[in-house]
C-alpha cells in the first residue's frame, strides 16, 4: 500500500453484495418507459437511463432504481474485501448505485466511518465507465489519480480506472 495514498472502492460486488433483483428493476424501468411510448427491446438498465434522459423522465426511473437499491442495501451481504477497512490512507466509494444506497450499505455493515466520501450514480452527472465519478472521488480525497488505487469487480470498473489514470485491482 505504500505506493498509493488513496483507495477508492466500487460498492456492489466489491465491498458488499446488494440484495437487488436487477431483472425486476429492469422490468419496472421498461414499463415506465413503455408508458411514455418508448420501445426498450434489448436495452439494458443503463441504456434505459439514457433513454429516460432523452425524453425527460429520468427522475421517474431513477426513483424506481434507487428504491430497489436502498432496499437491497438494507439486506446486503458484506464481502471479504470489506475486511480491508480501515486503511491507513483515505478511502472513498465510487459506485453505479445511488449515493443513498451506498451510504445505507456502508452503515449497515459498520464500515461507513472508514469511508471519507461516497460518489454514487446520482452524485455527479456522468456514470462509470466515464472517468468523472472516480475523479470526483479522488478530488474529494484531495489526492491525485496517479497515486490512487481503484478496487472493483468488473470490466466497467477497469475501464473507468484506465480512463481516470488510476491503478486498478480486480476482486
Amino acid at each position: 500500500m505504500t505506493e498509493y495514498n488513496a483507495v477508492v472502492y466500487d460498492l456492489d460486488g466489491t465491498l458488499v453484495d446488494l440484495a437487488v433483483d436487477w431483472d425486476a428493476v429492469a422490468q419496472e424501468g421498461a414499463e415506465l418507459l413503455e408508458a411514455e411510448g418508448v420501445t426498450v427491446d434489448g436495452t439494458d438498465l443503463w441504456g434505459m437511463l439514457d433513454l429516460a434522459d432523452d425524453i425527460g423522465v429520468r427522475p421517474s426511473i431513477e426513483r424506481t432504481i434507487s428504491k430497489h437499491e436502498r432496499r437491497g442495501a438494507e439486506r446486503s451481504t458484506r464481502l471479504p474485501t470489506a475486511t480491508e477497512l480501515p486503511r491507513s490512507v483515505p478511502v472513498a466509494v465510487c459506485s453505479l448505485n445511488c449515493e443513498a444506497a451506498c451510504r445505507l450499505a456502508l452503515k449497515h455493515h459498520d464500515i461507513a466511518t472508514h469511508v471519507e466520501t461516497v460518489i454514487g450514480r446520482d452524485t455527479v452527472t456522468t456514470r462509470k465507465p466515464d472517468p468523472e465519478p472516480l475523479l470526483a472521488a479522488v478530488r474529494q480525497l484531495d489526492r491525485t489519480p496517479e497515486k490512487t488505487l481503484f478496487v472493483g469487480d468488473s470490466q466497467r470498473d477497469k475501464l473507468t480506472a484506465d480512463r481516470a489514470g488510476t491503478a486498478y485491482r480486480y476482486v
Side-chain angles (χ1 to χ4, degrees):
M1 268 307 299
T2 57
E3 64 216 85
Y4 305 111
N5 64 15
V7 178
V8 180
Y9 290 92
D10 171 54
L11 181 77
D12 192 20
T14 302
L15 292 174
V16 303
D17 183 22
L18 295 183
V20 176
D21 181 347
W22 292 108
D23 291 335
V25 178
Q27 180 62 40
E28 282 187 46
E31 290 169 5
L32 282 168
L33 289 171
E34 288 169 355
E36 296 290 333
V38 177
T39 303
V40 297
D41 293 338
T43 305
D44 69 7
L45 188 57
W46 310 120
M48 287 184 216
L49 271 175
D50 293 336
L51 289 171
D53 276 338
D54 292 344
I55 63 168
V57 296
R58 180 170 182 143
S60 295
I61 197 167
E62 186 65 53
R63 278 191 299 276
T64 298
I65 297 168
S66 298
K67 173 187 70 177
H68 284 275
E69 289 172 335
R70 289 189 310 274
R71 203 174 316 139
E74 293 169 351
R75 298 187 324 254
S76 62
T77 304
R78 183 180 173 126
L79 295 176
T81 309
T83 62
E84 296 176 4
L85 300 174
R87 287 210 174 252
S88 61
V89 298
V91 171
V93 164
C94 175
S95 177
L96 271 176
N97 303 110
C98 71
E99 184 177 336
C102 294
R103 292 186 183 283
L104 280 170
L106 294 170
K107 184 178 178 185
H108 179 71
H109 294 288
D110 296 321
I111 54 179
T113 58
H114 306 307
V115 177
E116 291 186 27
T117 193
V118 175
I119 303 294
R121 174 186 66 249
D122 52 348
T123 310
V124 296
T125 59
T126 62
R127 63 182 182 273
K128 301 184 296 183
D130 186 289
E132 182 51 31
L134 179 53
L135 291 171
V138 172
R139 281 192 303 273
Q140 286 190 23
L141 294 175
D142 199 25
R143 297 299 193 255
T144 62
E146 301 79 22
K147 299 288 277 179
T148 299
L149 173 65
F150 184 40
V151 181
D153 70 318
S154 70
Q155 185 58 37
R156 180 185 299 258
D157 290 334
K158 170 78 167 94
L159 183 56
T160 304
D162 290 345
R163 290 176 174 177
T166 69
Y168 181 72
R169 188 181 93 213
Y170 180 82
V171 295

